[in-house]
Amino acid sequence: MNIARDERDTSTEVHYGPGQRPSTRPERSRTIVIAVAVLGSLLLVAGCGVTVWRYFHGRDADAGANRTTPSTTKPSHNVDAAKVEAVLREHDYSCYETMTEPSVVRSCYHTANDGAQLAVRIQAGPGGETVKVAIKGWQSGFAPAQPRGNLTEPSTQIVTAISQVLLGNEATKVLKIEDGGTQRGASAVWGTVQFGLFPEGAFATFVKAGSKPLTGAYPLPVPSAEVMRRLGEEGFSCEVGFRRHCDKEIDGTSISAAIRKNEVSLTIWGAHPLTDALLRAQVEMAIGQLVSGADRSAATSWAHSNLNPDLGVVQGDAGGLHIEIAREVFLTSGREAAKITLQSAQPGFSP
């Protein structure tokens, strides 16, 4: 308004020469002056707005943001599955290629010093990006009343490490994974997570937003009825009741087989020590009921190399099978137990 006032005052000092006459419409000049003033004010405000926008978005550019306009670019939330596997290897997990079709699945296994068992399966998408990660932890041991292993520390450690890779540090802090206990879940930019971490067992599932991950478990390559028939040919006595079960005895050593839709387990009880020759023969026999050819050779070779696990239990995938070998000595009775568990190496995400 000061600008308008100055222009108006100046106009009153104009002197007209001969033949000139002042305007007969003084209100028109005054209206034009006011309009010019208002327009100038609007341009000033607009200029300030552009300056503020450039200031904040200029700071993003200085920080390394690769964007053309704020509304047209989206950050990538893909996380390479190899990064998740690398984290697991850093925590002393042994990793294997579990399946290649219809998706690539890598499985990693770990035995804690006290016997706690953890399995992690990683499903990758077409570009190698992480689609799903499933974690399961359980206690080992032959006597149900004396389970081995506390899952609290190892499961919390690995769930936190994977969450940091997939969800980021800030989202991981919000989850408070270290509190364990009650089952809970949350969503983040990458996707969702659900977990429950307890001393006697643990689980966690990470799923990328918008993906369609694998689910369920795969059956054994040979039907359970056929497995029982083959075990009968090996001298086992089999019966079908509440479960499918086969038994036989060799020189005072009892061998018991339990057959399920997606698992065959062979438990061997005998005087300590159980010889490697005895175990090797029984492992070969059990694997031979399920796979043949190159798969049988690969699975048998892996089992032979792991007959004496350092921490009492070992897991791995070979020849299309998931194999677990466990051994335990009972000093009070002078006996030893060994257990060989065979599953399909395509267990989906029910480890």
Side-chain angles (χ1 to χ4, degrees):
M1 295 305 293
N2 290 337
I3 295 175
R5 184 180 296 112
D6 291 341
E7 292 181 357
R8 186 172 62 251
D9 292 342
T10 302
S11 67
T12 61
E13 297 175 358
V14 173
H15 298 277
Y16 294 93
Q20 292 180 322
R21 298 179 57 189
S23 173
T24 57
R25 300 175 63 184
E27 290 301 325
R28 180 180 180 183
S29 298
R30 186 171 301 172
T31 301
I32 292 173
V33 171
I34 292 174
V36 170
V38 171
L39 179 61
S41 300
L42 292 174
L43 289 175
L44 179 62
V45 171
C48 291
V50 171
T51 301
V52 170
W53 186 90
R54 287 178 177 173
Y55 171 73
F56 284 106
H57 288 265
R59 287 198 305 176
D60 288 344
D62 292 340
N66 296 319
R67 55 163 69 104
T68 52
T69 64
S71 60
T72 59
T73 57
K74 296 180 180 179
S76 173
H77 303 306
N78 289 339
V79 178
D80 197 319
K83 290 185 177 180
V84 179
E85 182 174 333
V87 169
L88 291 163
R89 290 184 181 276
E90 290 174 359
H91 287 80
D92 297 325
Y93 280 69
S94 297
C95 298
Y96 303 83
E97 184 175 73
T98 297
M99 57 190 293
T100 57
E101 296 292 341
S103 294
V104 173
V105 175
R106 300 279 293 179
S107 298
C108 301
Y109 307 106
H110 176 70
T111 300
N113 291 333
D114 63 359
Q117 296 292 297
L118 289 118
V120 182
R121 307 202 193 285
I122 311 162
Q123 181 188 348
E129 73 279 6
T130 305
V131 170
K132 183 175 181 178
V133 177
I135 304 168
K136 184 176 181 180
W138 64 97
Q139 296 171 313
S140 63
F142 287 85
Q146 297 178 330
R148 296 176 58 225
N150 186 321
L151 273 302
T152 301
E153 181 178 348
S155 63
T156 298
Q157 185 182 64
I158 204 61
V159 172
T160 299
I162 292 176
S163 178
Q164 289 171 339
V165 172
L166 297 178
L167 308 184
N169 290 332
E170 293 305 316
T172 300
K173 291 178 182 177
V174 173
L175 288 174
K176 295 183 178 180
I177 298 170
E178 66 279 2
D179 291 349
T182 306
Q183 176 181 339
R184 58 187 181 278
S187 298
V189 174
W190 179 83
T192 60
V193 57
Q194 290 186 332
F195 64 94
L197 311 179
F198 304 89
E200 66 279 4
F203 81 91
T205 305
F206 295 85
V207 179
K208 183 183 178 184
S211 66
K212 295 181 178 180
L214 297 174
T215 58
Y218 289 75
L220 289 168
V222 176
S224 57
E226 176 63 14
V227 173
M228 290 187 69
R229 187 191 69 79
R230 295 180 181 183
L231 288 175
E233 294 178 351
E234 294 290 338
F236 282 82
S237 174
C238 300
E239 60 181 34
V240 179
F242 178 72
R243 59 176 181 168
R244 298 177 185 270
H245 194 267
C246 299
D247 297 282
K248 82 172 180 177
E249 188 168 319
I250 301 177
D251 299 329
T253 299
S254 63
I255 305 171
S256 177
I259 304 98
R260 300 177 179 85
K261 181 180 179 181
N262 57 2
E263 177 182 294
V264 171
S265 63
L266 203 68
T267 303
I268 303 168
W269 291 87
H272 172 65
L274 291 175
T275 66
D276 284 355
L278 172 65
L279 292 178
R280 190 177 295 114
Q282 296 308 309
V283 166
E284 289 180 3
M285 182 276 302
I287 291 173
Q289 311 311 309
L290 301 176
V291 290
S292 59
D295 284 344
R296 180 175 182 175
S297 297
T300 301
S301 177
W302 185 91
H304 285 177
S305 300
N306 292 277
L307 283 180
N308 295 283
D310 292 336
L311 296 171
V313 187
V314 65
Q315 301 177 70
D317 295 347
L321 295 176
H322 171 69
I323 308 169
E324 179 181 334
I325 298 175
R327 296 183 70 168
E328 189 167 340
V329 177
F330 298 87
L331 297 177
T332 55
S333 62
R335 292 173 65 81
E336 183 178 352
K339 186 175 183 180
I340 297 95
T341 302
L342 305 175
Q343 297 175 325
S344 168
Q346 299 180 342
F349 282 88
S350 299

